[in-house]
Amino acid sequence: MVKHILFDFDGTLVDSRALLVKLYNEMAMQHRFRPIREQDLGPLRSMSISERVDRLGVPVLQIPKLMVAGRQLYHENIRSLQIVPGMKEVIAKLSTQGVKSSILSSNSEANIRLFLRKNKLEGAFKEIISAKHIFGKHHSIRKVMKQWGTTPARMIYVGDELRDIESCKKLGVPIVAVTWGYDSPQLLLSGNPDHMAHTPSELYRILIGLS
């Protein structure tokens, strides 16, 4: 029986795709990377992170520095973000059922808490955990399990990217992949997730069935 749910933030809870494209294009202009055009969005959703980086011509060694700059720009624009329609209700219903939920994200804790305050969701999550490993989220998930003293079978991860699935597979942690985030349904399926949800209401039914 699942006792704790770990939610990813960007893409899963928050519709931040338009903002992140805007911020990336601002940095692309500054650093002379290839910008993301409207016609690029569909193909990019079906690529792995390494394929996207290669397609856009972003030097891998510059990614950590760009992440720091991007988080600051994100923080300055966070009030424009909206929660994914239907997810606020999912979180509220899970809370009334006594299900413990936390957030694990490569976004900063400050950004996440600011968004939660704006949407009156401060008390909805037990913890906000900022993942330090950009390309190896399984390290952060393993650390969380150790802190909680729990096993993979007693938790479940909710994410929207292939890398989320791959991280969970390394640890044996069940995952629900949602299709409204960054990666296309076809790319998510290639990772063989334990469950897939196409709408927040479908996500809720899956999570309650496992709790």
Side-chain angles (χ1 to χ4, degrees):
M1 179 179 292
V2 171
K3 290 295 185 182
H4 206 116
I5 302 169
L6 267 179
F7 283 93
D8 191 32
F9 183 67
D10 286 293
T12 301
L13 291 172
V14 180
D15 186 3
S16 56
R17 285 180 293 179
L19 174 60
L20 291 180
V21 169
K22 172 180 175 288
L23 299 182
Y24 168 81
N25 282 341
E26 289 178 7
M27 291 189 289
M29 183 179 297
Q30 179 183 354
H31 296 281
R32 298 183 179 179
F33 303 146
R34 179 182 172 184
I36 297 175
R37 302 163 299 173
E38 184 70 28
Q39 60 265 38
D40 296 324
L41 295 177
L44 286 172
R45 285 193 77 207
S46 297
M47 296 179 185
S48 66
I49 291 179
S50 60
E51 289 171 333
R52 292 171 193 168
V53 168
D54 184 62
R55 172 79 171 266
L56 296 171
V58 179
V60 174
L61 292 178
Q62 290 195 35
I63 291 177
K65 183 174 70 174
L66 293 171
M67 288 284 291
V68 173
R71 282 175 177 170
Q72 180 57 40
L73 290 171
Y74 189 108
H75 185 82
E76 295 168 3
N77 289 269
I78 200 166
R79 295 190 181 280
S80 68
L81 289 178
Q82 301 295 321
I83 194 165
V84 171
M87 284 303 294
K88 190 169 186 176
E89 292 77 7
V90 169
I91 298 302
K93 288 193 288 186
L94 288 172
S95 182
T96 60
Q97 294 287 333
V99 180
K100 295 179 180 178
S101 301
S102 294
I103 292 174
L104 175 66
S105 173
S106 54
N107 208 317
S108 71
E109 181 177 349
N111 282 340
I112 295 170
R113 290 196 180 280
L114 179 59
F115 179 85
L116 294 179
R117 284 198 300 274
K118 173 180 174 287
N119 286 275
K120 297 181 173 57
L121 288 170
E122 301 101 310
F125 298 95
K126 178 184 176 183
E127 290 184 79
I128 310 299
I129 305 153
S130 186
K132 305 300 182 184
H133 304 276
I134 300 173
F135 297 112
K137 196 177 282 187
H138 62 283
H139 296 296
S140 298
I141 297 174
R142 183 186 291 116
K143 184 177 180 181
V144 169
M145 286 194 297
K146 186 175 181 181
Q147 288 175 343
W148 290 347
T150 191
T151 62
R154 295 178 69 81
M155 63 188 296
I156 192 162
Y157 194 90
V158 181
D160 66 301
E161 296 183 80
L162 177 60
R163 65 174 178 151
D164 297 329
I165 300 171
E166 292 171 341
S167 293
C168 288
K169 292 292 182 182
K170 289 177 180 178
L171 301 172
V173 173
I175 179 169
V176 182
V178 302
T179 61
W180 55 80
Y182 290 113
D183 288 353
S184 68
Q186 294 77 14
L187 186 59
L188 294 172
L189 278 172
S190 73
N192 192 30
D194 299 281
H195 307 274
M196 281 187 70
H198 300 280
T199 64
S201 59
E202 185 178 0
L203 172 63
Y204 176 74
R205 289 194 296 271
I206 292 170
L207 294 176
I208 285 299
L210 296 170
S211 301

